RNA sequence: GGUCCCAUCGUCUAGUGGCCUAGGGCACCACCCUCUCAAGGUGGAGACACGGGUUCGAACCCCGUUGGGACUACCA
């Protein structure tokens, strides 16, 4: 059997790292087994989706390195891949279910349902649907319809015990009567997720449904609908949710946890993917660096942990510094360009490229390139308060002397500059730290910068001397 | 309330009855290196939620308790 897995996000908000992690696992599973991966957009609730969100989902996944064989943008034999465009399939399925008496019209209004729910709760009974419309006679239904009462369509849940063999949770059972009849078509005629997912998974030939475990309870319902439609349910794997640092499920109040946000902060896709891959899954006891290829090669759904994980930003940061260091200078320069431009700088390409070895191991994120390199690409480098303090404490005439000496120095390269700076410092009775810091402050405007002599070499003699004189 | 899921260092995890005086990564602490900041190196502290069983033997199996979470919608 050829594996067909899918990722089916609801584009109601941004794709947060918990969602993608689930998608990543589904993708890795499909790729590991040489199967197909399908992207489907779950937008049955039109009020909650925006076109922007759909585009955002696609872009985020692509950026991360996840690809799909069938989807809304690339098409495929089982399309369309947006639920909002599959209404005909849902209508046909509903008719079949209705004709088989696996579904029935329900005339209860939301208000009535709410009241009965409260009443049941008050009596200490479970609050689910009470089945009032379940066994109405055809005449009864006709009469109610004749009155023009709007009706939703409910699925008639089998009354025996239901069970799901889950690839990560194991066998999960629901005793008879615990799963109530549920609405599959709203009274306005639009299908509900519970129906759409089942129909789509069936029609798209999905063999493995890998999704968040908040959907575990809907698995037996999805499976029941698929069986009623004459199909065989796919295998299910419900992976745990990803929590925020406080241990609560990821949500808006955790701030920017979307893929897009991490991208904007300067994280590398390879680092995010690595971090996500290790959240709830591990290759073995030791492995901490996992590339896309490693993940595909080693992914095993049976090794997915069944308990929820917190997203660890510090580890992401550490992974990111690691991956930044792995990048070639050209690659890194190209990636930094966007951040420097966004900060209003217009870096000279060759200078930028030459600066990479200096900053590579000093960047946690690509965005860090801005404060580190501003002095090279802007002459507006008024010393910050700390730097101003250091300059003020420099011995009388020290910086002017440095300016003079550097103005005559030959050749203008790091090694010679280092020698000269050392000489100047010791002549002034200063050690390297004390001797270099005022210069660094004057030239970069900050007490923190890439190594000084190398920085000066790149800056050039003229700009260096000019800046020294400006503060001297 | 009911049903279901989950429970190893702060955190991510290894662990599927003896290999565990519980291993690794991040974070933390100390030291080394050092022109700032990093990076790097060395070392250190740090966990099986609790209580009962089962067994010659339990982090691993069973039961209970406690604590988290999900679902219980004409949301997905």
């Amino acid at each position: 059997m050829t594996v067909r897995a899918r990722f089916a996000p609801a584009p109601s908000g941004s794709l947060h790292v918990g969602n993608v992690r689930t998608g990543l696992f589904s993708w890795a599973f499909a790729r590991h087994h040489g199967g197909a991966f399908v992207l489907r957009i779950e937008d049955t609730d039109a009020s909650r989706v925006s076109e922007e969100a759909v585009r955002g989902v696609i872009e985020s996944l692509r950026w991360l390195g996840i690809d799909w064989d069938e989807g809304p943008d690339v098409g495929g034999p089982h399309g369309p891949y947006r639920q909002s465009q599959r209404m005909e399939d849902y209508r046909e399925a509903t008719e079949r279910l209705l004709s088989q008496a696996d579904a029935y019209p329900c005339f209860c209004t939301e208000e009535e349902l709410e009241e009965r729910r409260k009443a049941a709760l008050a009596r200490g009974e479970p609050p689910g649907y009470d089945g009032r419309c379940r066994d109405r006679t055809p005449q009864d239904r006709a009469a109610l319809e004749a009155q023009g009462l709007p009706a939703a369509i409910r699925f008639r849940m089998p009354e025996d015990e239901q069970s799901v063999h889950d690839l990560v949770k194991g066998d999960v059972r629901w005793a008879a009567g615990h799963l109530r009849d549920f609405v599959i078509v709203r009274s306005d005629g639009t299908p509900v997720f519970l129906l759409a997912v089942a129909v789509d998974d069936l029609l798209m030939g999905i063999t493995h449904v890998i999704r968040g475990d908040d959907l575990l309870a809907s698995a037996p319902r999805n499976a029941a609908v698929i069986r009623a439609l004459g199909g065989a349910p796919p295998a299910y794997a419900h992976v745990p949710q990803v929590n925020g640092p406080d241990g609560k499920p990821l949500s808006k109040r955790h701030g920017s946890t979307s893929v897009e946000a991490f991208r904007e902060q300067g994280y590398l896709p390879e680092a995010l993917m690595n971090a996500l891959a290790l959240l709830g899954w591990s290759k073995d006891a030791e492995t901490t660096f996992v590339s896309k290829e490693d993940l595909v090669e080693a992914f095993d759904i049976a090794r997915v942990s069944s308990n929820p994980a917190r997203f660890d930003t510090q580890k992401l940061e550490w992974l990111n510094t690691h991956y930044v260091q792995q990048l070639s200078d050209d690659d890194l320069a190209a990636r930094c360009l966007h951040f420097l431009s966004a900060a209003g700088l217009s870096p000279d390409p060759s200078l930028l490229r030459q600066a990479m070895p200096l900053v590579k191991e000093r960047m946690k994120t690509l965005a860090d390139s801005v404060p580190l390199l501003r002095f090279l690409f802007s002459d507006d480098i008024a010393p910050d308060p700390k730097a101003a303090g250091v300059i003020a404490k420099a011995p009388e005439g020290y910086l002017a002397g440095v300016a003079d000496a550097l103005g005559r120095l030959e050749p203008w390269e790091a090694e010679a500059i280092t020698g000269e700076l050392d000489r100047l410092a010791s002549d002034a009775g200063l050690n390297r730290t004390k001797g270099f810091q005022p210069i660094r402050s004057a030239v970069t405007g900050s007490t923190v910068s890439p190594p000084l002599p190398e920085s000066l070499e790149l800056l050039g003699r003229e700009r260096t001397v000019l800046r020294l004189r400006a503060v001297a």
Side-chain angles (χ1 to χ4, degrees):
Chain A
M1 177 182 66
T2 307
V3 165
R4 286 178 60 80
R6 45 70 155 191
F7 180 47
S12 52
S14 49
L15 237 207
H16 68 63
V17 291
N19 296 145
V20 237
R21 196 285 241 92
T22 303
L24 180 66
F25 283 3
S26 189
W27 169 83
F29 181 84
R31 294 294 175 241
H32 176 79
H33 292 282
F37 188 58
V38 178
L39 176 66
R40 184 173 78 217
I41 303 295
E42 311 232 310
D43 55 353
T44 53
D45 183 6
S47 66
R48 309 208 327 179
V49 304
S50 71
E51 288 311 304
E52 247 177 272
V54 175
R55 272 197 304 279
V57 164
I58 289 176
E59 211 176 294
S60 290
L61 291 174
R62 288 220 183 285
W63 177 73
L64 246 197
I66 295 176
D67 60 342
W68 46 94
D69 308 292
E70 300 169 32
D73 54 338
V74 296
H78 304 278
Y81 293 90
R82 288 185 60 161
Q83 293 188 328
S84 58
Q85 295 165 3
R86 300 176 58 81
M87 293 303 155
E88 190 55 24
D89 289 332
Y90 308 140
R91 203 185 50 73
E92 276 173 28
T94 304
E95 268 165 29
R96 172 164 179 187
L97 259 16
L98 242 18
S99 72
Q100 294 172 177
D102 281 315
Y104 58 86
C106 172
F107 299 90
C108 304
T109 65
E110 287 188 70
E111 295 72 37
E112 290 166 1
L113 257 15
E114 184 56 32
E115 264 174 44
R116 270 141 58 194
R117 223 188 324 272
K118 279 185 192 151
L121 234 26
R123 290 193 303 273
E125 293 167 13
Y129 181 64
D130 56 11
R132 175 158 311 189
C133 295
R134 186 172 229 236
D135 299 309
R136 289 186 190 280
T137 62
Q139 296 87 325
D140 199 8
R141 286 185 181 134
L144 288 163
E145 259 164 54
Q147 288 175 39
L149 286 181
I153 312 281
R154 259 178 213 279
F155 181 76
R156 185 189 301 274
M157 200 58 196
E159 289 171 85
D160 51 345
E161 179 189 87
Q162 300 293 307
S163 74
V164 167
H165 176 73
D166 191 274
L167 265 25
V168 346
K169 303 285 186 186
D171 286 313
V172 187
R173 301 172 185 291
W174 287 265
H178 279 289
L179 265 9
R180 305 300 184 86
D181 295 351
F182 53 92
V183 170
I184 53 175
V185 179
R186 301 184 183 90
S187 50
D188 66 2
T190 58
V192 170
F193 152 86
L194 256 0
L195 198 231
V197 182
V199 171
D200 292 345
D201 285 338
L202 177 59
L203 263 31
M204 292 180 180
I206 300 301
T207 59
H208 296 263
V209 171
I210 298 172
R211 42 147 59 157
D213 72 358
D214 51 329
L215 261 21
L216 182 56
S218 73
R221 299 178 229 261
N222 295 156
V225 171
I226 288 175
R227 282 194 202 94
L229 256 13
Y236 288 98
H238 289 89
V239 317
Q241 299 292 90
V242 173
N243 293 337
D246 58 355
K248 304 285 183 193
L250 232 34
S251 70
K252 316 90 222 151
R253 63 200 171 72
H254 288 101
S256 313
T257 56
S258 66
V259 173
E260 188 53 31
F262 284 109
R263 180 184 185 174
E264 279 165 9
Q265 286 169 60
Y267 288 96
L268 265 29
E270 39 276 68
L272 220 209
M273 172 176 278
N274 194 149
L276 260 19
L278 259 22
L279 222 51
W281 176 81
S282 60
K283 184 178 176 205
D284 51 45
E286 326 278 86
T287 307
T288 48
F289 296 119
V290 180
S291 69
K292 187 170 151 178
E293 292 72 25
D294 294 338
L295 179 61
V296 168
E297 211 249 86
F299 189 76
D300 178 1
I301 192 73
R303 280 189 67 85
V304 172
S305 166
S306 57
N307 60 311
R310 298 183 195 202
F311 186 70
D312 185 358
T313 316
Q314 287 182 314
K315 183 153 186 179
L316 203 218
E317 212 167 71
W318 174 79
L319 281 168
N320 207 60
T321 65
H322 168 81
Y323 281 102
V324 164
Q325 289 182 43
Q326 302 297 305
L327 259 28
S328 70
D329 293 340
D330 286 329
D331 192 353
L332 182 56
R335 301 207 207 198
C336 286
L337 193 56
H338 164 77
F339 291 87
L340 293 163
S341 307
L345 303 172
S346 324
D348 168 73
S350 153
L351 197 53
L352 177 60
R353 160 69 178 68
Q354 292 177 72
M356 290 302 103
L358 269 45
V359 295
K360 197 179 267 186
E361 61 198 24
R362 296 179 163 74
M363 277 194 273
K364 284 193 194 311
T365 67
L366 297 176
D368 288 342
S369 61
V370 176
L372 247 17
L373 293 175
R374 162 164 268 125
F375 78 96
L376 259 190
F377 305 117
S378 167
D379 286 314
D380 176 23
I381 44 100
D384 65 34
K386 260 181 151 175
V390 169
I391 292 168
K393 270 188 246 145
E396 189 71 32
Y398 176 64
L399 289 174
V402 171
D404 289 341
L406 290 182
R408 296 188 297 267
L409 181 69
E410 285 301 340
W412 185 258
E413 50 190 43
E415 200 177 329
I417 297 173
T418 304
E420 187 67 2
L421 255 29
D422 277 340
R423 195 184 59 76
L424 290 160
S426 67
D427 283 358
L430 305 170
N431 60 22
R432 257 195 180 181
T433 304
K434 295 266 199 241
F436 281 27
Q437 278 304 75
I439 303 171
R440 186 193 312 281
S441 299
V443 174
T444 70
S446 168
T447 52
V448 176
S449 85
L452 190 57
E454 289 77 2
S455 295
L456 299 188
E457 180 185 330
L458 288 184
L459 225 207
R461 183 201 310 275
E462 261 178 68
R463 295 169 85 195
T464 300
V465 172
L466 219 54
R467 290 179 190 189
L468 285 168
R469 293 210 193 286
V471 300

